[in-house]
Amino acid sequence: MDLTEQSHRRLNPLTDEWVLVSPHRTQRPWQGAVEAVPAVARPQYDPTCYLCPGNPRAGGVRNPQYTSTYIFENDFAALKKDVPASTIDVQHKGLLVAEGESGICRVMCFSPRHDLTLSSMEQPAIEEVVRTWTSQFSELARTPGVSHVQIFENRGEMMGASNPHPHCQIWATKSIPQAPARELFSQQNYFKSHDSCLLCDYLKLEAGEQKRIICENEGFVVLVPFWAVWPFEVLVCSRRHFGALPELNGSEVSQLAAILKQIVSTYDRIFEVPFPYSMGFHQSPTTGAHPEWHFHAHFYPPLLRSATVRKFMVGFEMLGTPQRDITPELAAERLRSLVANGK
Ligand code: H2U
Ligand code: ZN
């Protein structure tokens, strides 16, 4: 079988899900939706922005004149702290089941500057972002009733970001959400059966093959995973085996900041626009011991052919299995060429 020409499916060993790859299909004509190209120039301060320093938020609270990162409890939190942990199973048939889910939702501004992004921020400022993520993770991990902390960023209107001010969200939950729960299951099984870590072993294979690696530094590797679903999806993996941000050493804080800036800047060069994406860290659950868990981040960007044509997860993707045309190897080649050119 030729993975560069023939249709095939690939297994994601982290989630135990399959992706259909159709390399021969990239030439098909496109007459579908064209998304608007987002405006580029933004002011350093926007008086109407609810995240800028000194401005009132939608809930009425006024932001302080913050000068670095800034955290607040989400005014429209999806999860509340005081929810009873009870389970309902209507008529006990296992068909109408519900469970109380409590949690904490915070918003974190990366910078007081309205016009910056992770790609345009200076290295020391991004290191401060990494340190704030770390202290938030530690604090929430210690909070009773929290089993998992999800840090994620929606960037760009296309990904549903409500505001261009550089920010992310942090949701701490009582239960482990679905995506990390699947990864936990796979990593635990692999750890038990191989007596080694799934992602450590995977990184070794990728280091040998090289063709999916985009950029790397002493602490981290960025690659298009063999099983990537989104056209330019990447996985950021620590080289060292550890589970969560508080285990980063001083140089790894700088290396993580540097690699994040590098991958986001590379993304911005693909179509010469601020590249939309949803990204997030997958870290070990905050209860119990997790020797199997390997710290990583996923970037899921929707763009496919140009700044205006996005990949839709519809039809067969919704009803069957996710599908991609451009191979992960070709996507990696394209991204890699932009890292090299763009320095
Ligand atoms: P997103 O851009 O990823 O949607 O994140 C912005 C979050 O900010 C969103 O969850 C919250 C929204 O509820 N928010 C506030 O907490 N206060 C506000 O004044 C507006 C938006
Ligand atoms: Zn702002």
Side-chain angles (χ1 to χ4, degrees), residues 136-205:
Q136 284 295 308
F137 182 91
S138 301
E139 183 206 317
L140 291 164
R142 280 195 307 269
T143 307
V146 168
S147 310
H148 185 265
V149 177
Q150 186 60 58
I151 299 173
F152 64 98
E153 179 193 8
N154 296 318
R155 188 202 203 204
E157 279 167 48
M158 209 182 269
M159 289 314 282
S162 54
N163 185 313
H165 194 112
H167 68 282
C168 72
Q169 297 193 46
I170 305 174
W171 292 22
T173 48
K174 187 194 73 157
S175 54
I176 301 174
Q178 211 150 270
R182 293 196 80 129
E183 292 190 357
L184 176 64
F185 185 74
S186 300
Q187 289 181 100
Q188 281 177 330
N189 282 345
Y190 190 96
F191 197 71
K192 266 187 232 137
S193 55
H194 294 74
D195 204 19
S196 63
C197 158
L198 191 161
L199 283 177
C200 285
D201 288 358
Y202 174 61
L203 282 185
K204 275 184 216 143
L205 283 176

Side-chain angles (χ1 to χ4, degrees), residues 32-60:
V34 174
E35 311 273 351
V37 179
V40 256
R42 289 205 306 270
Q44 290 190 14
Y45 166 74
D46 176 352
T48 66
C49 167
Y50 57 73
L51 297 181
C52 273
N55 288 358
R57 297 207 301 272

